[in-house]
Amino acid sequence: MSRITVAESAGFCFGVRRAVELAEREAARHQVIYSYGEIIHNTHEIERLSALGVRTAEHIDDIPDGAAVLIRAHGVSRAVYAAFEKKGCTVYDATCIFVSRIHRYVEQESAAGRRIIILGSRNHPEVLGIAGWCENALVYETSEQLLEELDASGLAPDTPISVVGQTTLNRASWNISVKILKKRYTNCKIFDTICKATDERQKEARSLAGRSNCMVVIGDKKSSNTKRLYEISASLCPRVLYIEDATELRKSDIKALRGLTVGITAGASTPAWIIKEVSNNMMSAETKIEMNEDFAAMLEESFKTLNNGDKVTGTVIAVTPTEVQVDLGVKHTAYIPVSEMSDDPAYNVEENVKAGDEIEAVVVRVNDMEGTVTLSKKRVDQLKGWESIEAAKEEHTAVEGTIIEENRGGVVAIAFGVRVFIPASQTGVPKEESMAQLLKTKQTFYITEINRQRKRVVGSIRQVAQEVRKAAAEKVWETIEVGSEYEGTVKSLTSYGAFVDIGGVDGMIHISELSWGRIKHPSEVVSIGDPVNVYVIALDKENKKISLGYKRQEDNPWNIFTTNFQVGDTATVKILKFMPFGAFAEIVPGVDGLIHISQISDHRIAKAEEALTVGQEVEAKIIDINDEKKKVSLSIRALLVDGEDEE
């Protein structure tokens, strides 16, 4: 009994499938669409597409002005796009996303003044297209050719070079070539552009060929990646059949396979129906087919029909600002419009979804005429979301959502893809403030009401805030004591002080504790919303009252004064006001001294105003400090007398 194993990676890659599906869809719309070069290296598919109206043109001049044109997955040069624009053609771009990425690399690197080296087949359309996005690219097909021709390039060892590879390049050849270039050039940037699907396909072919007596490689002889699969298989397996379809599989070949372990692989341009046809022809009563479950499912999926409401899982193949293209493994092209990705208006599709991601969606519309399927991701999210929302209400757990709109009654949030209405009274925003401040913010809330029939969900931010505050308050009351220090926020002001939230509990700073100087209102020192550092000066746990201090001893003006001055020192003071018995002068902010009228001048004066003016700065001697009464005596006359004595 023979054992036949079909490679999981055999057949269309998503880039080829996307190009074929785009050709089918646009041919149906335009009746005729021109493919610039063969859309796929597979004669059978070319014939099938030709019957649908897809015409192959090898030269730009073969395409009429104003025609619909398809750019195949291999991609083209920048000049080709310009030529079609000049001809007024409508261009449908099916360039593989991995090839487009290489175009961006070489364009940017070349513009930065770096020399581009491309590893790949010189005449392959993909390589020709890549070279058309940069200046004077050097192309090497093998590591041997690289060694032979590199010296002739004339590139100095310090030349800045950037290296890319054809997406279907053999990994071993790439590794050897990169090693050579790194040794030769000191300023070398490497961009590993070999397609992961190609890597996996070749890796699987290598593994399968190594454990099989015979390999069957299916694909067009013009297909570059199929040729490489054949080369890999031939290097590891004693017998390899290289066929394009089931008609090339002779009865004698099938007979010769009896009792052998056989592996089947296929190039990226080989459609699933050809692989299935070959595997079916190889089956006999005494032949056992081992087909990977995923691949077997793919074959069946390619013939499957879709219906509205079906839940499907696919792979993202391209992301644009308007839609996400999805590979479902069927002949239809699937799209998710951005409007069907999420209800969140701030949702950025290009930031949240990448090519290669697996995505779940619901079929919204199937158009067999155009060969398209419209999907909705947000409907899947909503179905799952309702379950999450109901569980959150049942278990009284908080959920997180983004506020997306404001209305007269409150705000609307999106949580798990479901709209949740939060009444104004439950937003936590004071009546005098605008709820617009919540827009586009993430908020945590409880689900308080659900009506599945009316699709109505009500939530409360306030309840969460209350519970958080209550828990914080309990923690504060457990640990608070006189002298405890807190970082708080000023919540409100009155004529006699400021109320401060110290983490779920409010305390009051009396106006006398706000400043060392005299103030008429707390607003002279703090404002609502200010962060403040406070300490507990009195505590009444029974009545839940806390008195807070804000003034710091290190800021006490008297301490500053006594630290810097003593009796006998001279200070520059500022005259503040006059009294019948003398003048008061500021020594440091918050500390005044008295200059008695007898200490103002060295001769008798009737009033202080005769010798001084308000605001005047004068030199005065400190003649007395009363720590108990916090009073300072100053003398200008003492300095005058001291000066005379010195003379």
Side-chain angles (χ1 to χ4, degrees), residues 427-445:
T427 60
V429 178
K431 287 183 180 180
E432 64 274 10
E433 294 183 28
S434 171
M435 292 183 292
Q437 62 185 278
L438 296 177
L439 290 176
K440 297 182 181 179
T441 64
K442 288 190 179 297
Q443 298 291 330
T444 303
F445 44 85

Side-chain angles (χ1 to χ4, degrees), residues 3-11 200 204 207-208 211 262-265 275-276 279 283 288-301:
R3 183 181 293 273
I4 301 175
T5 304
V6 180
E8 177 184 352
S9 57
E200 287 301 316
E204 190 177 13
S207 172
L208 198 54
R211 63 178 192 269
V262 181
I264 298 177
T265 187
I275 302 170
K276 188 173 184 179
S279 61
M283 285 191 224
K288 181 179 180 181
I289 296 282
E290 276 195 4
M291 190 178 293
N292 180 282
E293 288 183 9
D294 291 338
F295 181 72
M298 183 197 77
L299 288 175
E300 295 306 318
E301 285 285 320

Side-chain angles (χ1 to χ4, degrees), residues 300-315:
E300 295 306 318
E301 285 285 320
S302 66
F303 300 100
K304 190 180 89 170
T305 57
L306 294 173
N307 299 300
N308 292 350
D310 285 354
K311 189 175 176 182
V312 294
T313 301
T315 302

